[in-house]
Amino acid sequence: MPVRRFRIVGRVQGVGFRYFVWREAEALGVQGWVRNRADGTVEALARGTSDELDRFQDRIQEGPRWARVTSVSVSEDFGEDVGRGFEIRRDGV
């Protein structure tokens, strides 16, 4: 299954964004993780079918009502194991 890395920019920290991403991933059956980054962005790594990942990206771009997403960059990822389920990770680098 494809794995994609998402970098979300905007007002995405301190507004429940990671919890929102976790909830959407669980609803779609996407596996992976999400974390805040020191630069104020949020990063997510997700594995699922192409259709699941497309819908996941659509939801991320919308975000919760308290957030303001200004951009989402997406890249294919081939090296990192995403594990099972979907988790909220501690803040990252």
Side-chain angles (χ1 to χ4, degrees):
M1 273 197 252
V3 176
R4 294 183 192 163
R5 184 175 302 271
F6 300 87
R7 175 71 62 90
I8 304 100
V9 177
R11 190 176 74 208
V12 292
Q13 290 191 14
V15 293
F17 197 86
R18 289 178 301 164
Y19 178 75
F20 170 83
V21 171
W22 171 80
R23 196 175 70 238
E24 294 301 322
E26 290 285 315
L28 291 168
V30 171
Q31 298 176 337
W33 52 261
V34 63
R35 68 181 175 190
N36 285 339
R37 293 188 48 90
D39 63 3
T41 64
V42 169
E43 179 181 26
L45 189 69
R47 178 179 61 213
T49 66
S50 292
D51 185 52
E52 289 168 342
L53 293 176
D54 289 345
R55 287 185 286 155
F56 182 67
Q57 181 176 344
D58 289 344
R59 297 298 297 140
I60 287 175
Q61 288 176 321
E62 184 177 318
R65 64 179 166 179
W66 304 279
R68 185 175 321 122
V69 176
T70 56
S71 70
V72 176
S73 61
V74 183
S75 60
E76 296 293 323
D77 195 288
F78 300 99
E80 189 170 340
D81 180 28
V82 299
R84 296 184 155 260
F86 199 92
E87 66 178 316
I88 297 173
R89 289 195 172 172
R90 294 176 53 113
D91 294 354
V93 183

